[in-house]
Amino acid sequence: MVKAQAAVLWEAGRPWSVEEIDLAAPGPHDVLVRNEASGLCHSDHHIQAGDSPAALPIIGGHEGAGVVEEVGSAVTDFAPGAHVVYSFIPSCGRCRWCSTGHQNLCDLGAFLMQGAMGEGPRAQTRGQGLGALSLIGTFANYSLANEASLVKVPESLPFAQAALLGCGVPTGWGSAVHVGQVKPGDAVVVVGAGGIGMNAVQGARLAGAEHVVVVDTASTKRDAAPLFGATHTAASMEEAVSLLSDLTRGVMADVGILTVGKVEGAMIAPFLELVSKNGVGVLTGVGHGSDVALDLKVFTLWQKQLRGNIYGGCNPWADIPRLIRLYESGLLKLDELVSAVYPLEEINQGYADMLDGKNIRGVVEHRH
Ligand code: CXF
Ligand code: ZN
C-alpha cells in the first residue's frame, strides 16, 4: 500500500479536493509511477463541471509524466527508474483497432470514464473506492497504471514537457497531420488556440501549410500563436471569413480544425463556412448535446467533410517517440506550451486561470 496526495472529484460542480489516498500494491500488469508533472487539460474541467459524465469519486488527471517506482510480476517493458509518459488512451496492441494502426481507438478506451477496469478501483480514501481518470489519475503524486498506459521517454526530456505528450500535443498535432491530412501549400484555419489548438498549428506548419490562420477571442492567445507557426490571426470566425477569402482568392481553407474548449452545435455551420469545396472540417474539441445546425445542401454539393477524432488519430507507441524526436531537433515547441506551473494544492486556481484564457497549458508539479 502506497500513500499519495491526490486531487479527487467527489461530485460534479464541486472543486477538486486535495487529500491523502491509498494505492493498492501493483498487480501483475501494473506499474507504480512516481508522478513528477501533470497537465491541466480542458477535459478534466468538463468532468468537474458536470458536462462529461464520469463515474465518481475519481482521481482526476490524464496527462502526466514521472519515474517508474515498482513493476508487477508480468511487466517486462518497464523497470524501476525508467522515465515514462502516460498515454491517456491505453494501447493493448492486440485489439482490432490497435492491430490496424488505430491505437487511439483501442478497445480498452471503453474504461476511461469508469476509471477502473474489471478488477475495480485500485485506490481509496475515507473508506471508499476511487476511480482513476483515463485509468491513470495523474492529479496525484503517485499513480498505479496498467503497462498499456505507459510509453518510455528519454531522461533528458523535462517532466512538464513530457506530460503534454500524453494528450494535448498529439491531439492537436494529429488533428492536422493525421485527421486533417494537411498537405504542402494548404490553407489551414485553427479555431481555438489553447493547449490543443497551438499544437494543431504546429502540426499544420510541419505538414507544409502555407497559411495557418488562428481564431481566438483571447488576445493573449492570438499574440502567442505566431510563435507556434500561425501566419495570421482573427478574433472571430466572422473575421476569419474575409481574411481567408483574401488569402485564398475565395477558395477558403483546405482544412479547418475546431479546438475550442467547449464545442456548441451552433458553431458547426460558421466553422464549415471557413472550409473550401472538398475541404475537411476536423472536430477535435469535445461537444455536448446533439443539436447541430448545418446547411445540408451546401455541405453535400460542395463535397465538404466533417471528421470527428480522438487523440488526433495518433498511435501513441509511434507518435509519442516521433514527437520527442521533433522536439529534440527543434522542430516542435514544447517549452513554450507550459505557461504556468502550480503545486497540486492550487489546482483549482490552475483551472480558473485556464478558463480566464491565461494559460496555453498549466502544469502541476508534484512534490514527494
Ligand atoms: C479526454 C476524453 C475522455 C477522458 C479524459 C480525456 N480526452 C482528451 O482530453
Ligand atoms: Zn486531454
Side-chain angles (χ1 to χ4, degrees):
M1 188 98 89
V2 171
K3 296 220 176 286
Q5 286 294 316
V8 175
L9 184 67
W10 289 91
E11 207 181 302
R14 280 177 48 190
W16 296 101
S17 162
V18 177
E19 48 195 275
E20 188 175 86
I21 63 161
D22 293 313
L23 291 173
H29 290 281
D30 288 335
V31 177
L32 177 70
V33 181
R34 188 179 79 238
N35 295 333
E36 296 289 345
S38 180
L40 302 181
C41 178
H42 213 114
S43 300
D44 302 87
H45 171 73
H46 286 310
I47 295 167
Q48 185 268 334
D51 291 331
S52 292
L56 303 180
I58 201 162
I59 305 163
H62 63 276
E63 279 184 354
V67 180
V68 171
E69 189 97 350
E70 197 182 328
V71 298
S73 56
V75 173
T76 53
D77 284 355
F78 302 94
H83 288 212
V84 289
V85 58
Y86 296 91
S87 169
F88 91 86
I89 299 182
S91 304
C92 72
R94 296 187 177 83
C95 71
R96 172 188 174 145
W97 310 107
C98 283
S99 61
T100 54
H102 302 286
Q103 288 187 317
N104 62 319
L105 299 175
C106 176
D107 282 337
L108 291 178
F111 298 104
L112 294 192
M113 302 303 250
Q114 277 167 240
M117 290 204 252
E119 76 281 6
R122 320 296 310 282
Q124 57 171 20
T125 189
R126 306 189 212 171
Q128 203 172 326
L130 294 172
L133 183 58
S134 254
L135 303 169
I136 53 185
T138 60
F139 292 165
N141 58 359
Y142 290 89
S143 293
L144 192 58
N146 190 285
E147 58 185 332
S149 296
L150 294 170
V151 175
K152 254 183 267 180
V153 297
E155 288 182 21
S156 54
L157 185 65
F159 290 111
Q161 285 81 330
L164 309 190
L165 295 172
C167 176
V169 177
T171 298
W173 180 84
S175 295
V177 174
H178 293 312
V179 189
Q181 300 193 335
V182 174
K183 306 272 182 305
D186 275 358
V188 177
V189 59
V190 176
V191 181
I196 309 277
M198 289 300 190
N199 293 301
V201 171
Q202 299 208 77
R205 277 324 282 279
L206 278 167
E210 181 188 8
H211 304 298
V212 182
V213 175
V214 160
V215 179
D216 203 294
T217 51
S219 61
T220 46
K221 306 271 184 64
R222 295 198 301 277
D223 292 345
L227 181 66
F228 297 95
T231 55
H232 301 79
T233 60
S236 66
M237 289 201 266
E238 300 81 74
E239 207 182 285
V241 171
S242 51
L243 178 57
L244 272 164
S245 183
D246 289 349
L247 288 170
T248 63
R249 298 175 187 224
V251 172
M252 307 304 276
D254 301 278
V255 180
I257 305 172
L258 188 56
T259 48
V260 293
K262 189 172 177 180
V263 172
E264 310 280 357
M267 293 175 185
I268 302 302
F271 170 59
L272 284 175
E273 258 181 62
L274 302 175
V275 170
S276 67
K277 287 192 275 190
N278 200 40
V280 54
V282 176
L283 196 48
T284 299
V286 181
H288 308 282
S290 52
D291 291 339
V292 175
L294 190 61
D295 186 332
L296 288 173
K297 197 157 81 182
V298 171
F299 183 75
T300 300
L301 300 182
W302 288 24
Q303 202 169 293
K304 295 196 183 187
Q305 297 174 54
L306 185 60
R307 295 194 74 187
N309 78 93
I310 185 160
Y311 216 168
C314 282
N315 287 291
W317 292 356
D319 283 313
I320 291 177
R322 186 199 322 225
L323 290 164
I324 294 171
R325 290 196 303 274
L326 289 170
Y327 170 69
E328 287 174 341
S329 59
L331 291 167
L332 183 80
K333 293 188 192 303
L334 297 180
D335 305 343
E336 296 80 354
L337 293 170
V338 181
S339 48
V341 169
Y342 305 87
L344 186 62
E345 294 72 23
E346 285 175 24
I347 188 166
N348 292 297
Q349 183 60 47
Y351 272 109
D353 290 348
M354 180 195 77
L355 295 174
D356 282 347
K358 290 186 186 158
N359 282 338
I360 300 175
R361 208 36 138 214
V363 170
V364 165
E365 272 182 4
H366 292 291
R367 288 192 293 247
H368 302 95

